[in-house]
Amino acid sequence: MPDLWQDAMDHAVTLARKAGEIVKDALQNDLKIMCKSSSVDLVTKTDQNVEQLIITSVKEKFPEHSFIGEESVAAGEPCVLTENPTWIVDPVDGTTNFVHGYPFVAISIGFAVNKMLEFGVVYSCIEDKMYTARKEKGAFCNGQPLQVSDQKEINQSIIATEFGSNRDPDAVDKIFSSMRKILCLPVHGIRGVGSAAINMCLVASGCVEAYYEIGIHCWDVAAAAVIVSEAGGVLMDVEGGPMDLMSRRVLAANNNIIGERIVKEIEAFSAVRDDHN
Ligand code: LIP
């Protein structure tokens, strides 16, 4: 049976590569940095230009499709996932890294139909790693199949997380407290590369057992969610139960044993949903 969405996925890979070239070129020049919700929530002209390039190209090739993009939403576009084929795009995941030249920056393109994720493309452009996954067809990095770690022991695991951009002291206390509890389980280590999409691809690659964060957005995780599940991993909410793409909370793990063990230690809190209006 022909794959309805393969053409869209091929296009996403082409766009991610093109966007990656723009991001790498921009690193050589002066970046125009702006703030969004706070002084630590950054955006650059490159984020906006790359998103515009992706939207324009998608609209030309797939005029019926819908679009949710980080910078379009910041500019006031609605963030609503409908049944329509929808591209969910973060033009630069890891903007703070990008601004500082910290070498983990990704272009993240997820695609959903009937509210179900169909494929994900994450291009970690400085590392030149193209992560791809199509539902039921496996996950790959530069064409090589990905498989999550088979570790079941939490005390033999590495867990990834981020401090995020929330500077509310109560939230920061909870973030530290969760990390402290997880570190003292003990685990082998806590890591985080500053990009939700790349952290999740590291779970898919088998080098970290789990990643969780509160405060991310649907465009940070949509593409990588397909990559994690196609690599054999699981996705859940930070309090257990199914992951809700619009809830701004995610836990990706190699298996349910590790995922549920982490859930017990996380001091959860809520963030304003992506689909609030
Ligand atoms: C980033 C996420 C990261 C999170 C940052 C930020 P952006 O996305 O990937 O996990 O800790 O606060 O949300 O803003 O660079 O696309």
Side-chain angles (χ1 to χ4, degrees), residues 41 70 90 92-96 162-165 194-197 199 211 213 215-217 219-220:
D41 183 11
E70 174 166 20
D90 189 343
V92 179
D93 187 49
T95 302
T96 306
E162 298 286 341
F163 294 105
S165 57
S195 151
N199 283 326
Y211 156 73
E213 187 170 349
I216 44 79
H217 294 274
W219 45 79
D220 297 318

Side-chain angles (χ1 to χ4, degrees), residues 113-162:
V113 182
N114 293 323
K115 301 190 180 182
M116 303 293 287
L117 291 164
E118 286 288 336
F119 68 74
V121 172
V122 171
Y123 182 40
S124 179
C125 59
I126 301 173
E127 302 180 281
D128 192 21
K129 288 186 175 175
M130 180 69 78
Y131 295 94
T132 55
R134 171 83 182 93
K135 196 168 84 187
E136 287 163 15
K137 294 201 171 153
F140 300 85
C141 177
N142 292 345
Q144 298 302 308
L146 296 175
Q147 180 64 48
V148 293
S149 144
D150 60 7
Q151 187 55 255
K152 293 189 180 67
E153 305 295 336
I154 192 70
N155 62 9
Q156 308 285 310
S157 299
I158 285 187
I159 308 303
T161 189
E162 298 286 341

